[in-house]
């Protein structure tokens, strides 16, 4: 794995952004990706996020996590009230997402960490069409 490869799809009908990441995640590449999403014409500040990180290795430290948390705080007008589900499966992923969850200062953003897609989708909204969203995730994985 080298570098971060990130894809996403905005599902306005579900008020949701599905993200898929693979490779080595560092703060700068993740912030650049978030800026790209914010420029999408379908983007809205209150969209919820389903962030699939199971194929990522974090190449970050506490300062990087703080930099990302500050980026979100400084861009509150772009990132409004929302839920963020982080889907992980390795100790490396769990450690860094947990530190981020503890450091993030945006109280209008609720962040939870999950090991399964299904539990994450249930937490985001139990009325989501889970098979459809998982199909979107699968298509992002092969994109």
């Amino acid at each position: 794995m080298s570098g971060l490869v990130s894809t996403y799809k905005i599902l306005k009908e579900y008020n949701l952004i599905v993200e898929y990441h693979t490779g080595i995640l560092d703060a700068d590449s993740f912030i650049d990706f978030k800026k790209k999403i914010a420029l999408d014409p379908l983007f809205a500040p209150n969209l919820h996020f389903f962030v699939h990180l199971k194929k990522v290795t974090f190449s970050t430290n506490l300062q990087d996590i703080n930099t990302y948390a500050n980026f979100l705080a400084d861009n509150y007008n772009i990132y409004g009230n929302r839920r963020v589900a982080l889907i992980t499966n390795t100790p490396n992923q769990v450690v860094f997402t947990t530190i981020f969850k503890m450091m993030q200062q945006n109280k209008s953003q609720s962040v939870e960490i999950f090991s399964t897609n299904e539990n994450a989708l249930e937490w985001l909204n139990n009325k989501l069409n889970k098979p459809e969203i998982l199909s979107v995730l699968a298509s992002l994985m092969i994109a």
Side-chain angles (χ1 to χ4, degrees):
M1 285 190 302
S2 63
L4 181 68
V5 177
S6 300
T7 57
Y8 73 96
K9 184 164 185 176
I10 296 175
L11 305 172
K12 289 292 267 192
E13 65 274 24
Y14 296 117
N15 196 45
L16 184 67
I17 298 175
V18 178
E19 295 182 17
Y20 175 73
H21 304 276
T22 185
I24 299 173
L25 187 148
D26 62 80
D28 290 338
S29 60
F30 201 64
I31 288 171
D32 288 345
F33 174 72
K34 292 298 186 175
K35 288 177 180 177
K36 176 183 168 185
I37 291 175
L39 295 174
D40 189 302
L42 295 176
F43 178 80
N46 293 327
L47 290 170
H48 301 301
F49 282 74
F50 175 90
V51 184
H52 191 279
L53 298 166
K54 287 186 173 189
K55 298 289 185 181
V56 164
T57 299
F58 283 83
S59 176
T60 56
N61 55 41
L62 291 177
Q63 180 58 43
D64 292 337
I65 296 170
N66 191 50
T67 297
Y68 180 65
N70 287 336
F71 164 75
L72 291 177
D74 292 344
N75 291 283
Y76 173 77
N77 60 329
I78 296 172
Y79 300 107
N81 295 319
R82 63 191 176 150
R83 287 181 163 213
V84 179
L86 304 172
I87 300 86
T88 64
N89 69 344
T90 70
N92 171 271
Q93 296 161 355
V94 173
V95 166
F96 283 104
T97 55
T98 301
I99 293 170
F100 165 71
K101 180 180 173 181
M102 292 180 344
M103 291 178 81
Q104 65 102 12
Q105 302 163 4
N106 184 350
K107 301 305 177 202
S108 65
Q109 172 176 273
S110 179
V111 177
E112 290 296 334
I113 302 161
F114 299 91
S115 60
T116 69
N117 296 331
E118 292 76 13
N119 286 344
L121 291 170
E122 185 70 24
W123 177 76
L124 285 167
N125 181 341
N126 63 4
K127 295 180 180 162
L128 291 174
N129 182 331
K130 293 170 189 69
E132 181 179 346
I133 293 168
L134 293 175
S135 175
V136 167
L137 177 63
S139 72
L140 292 174
M141 290 176 169
I142 58 174

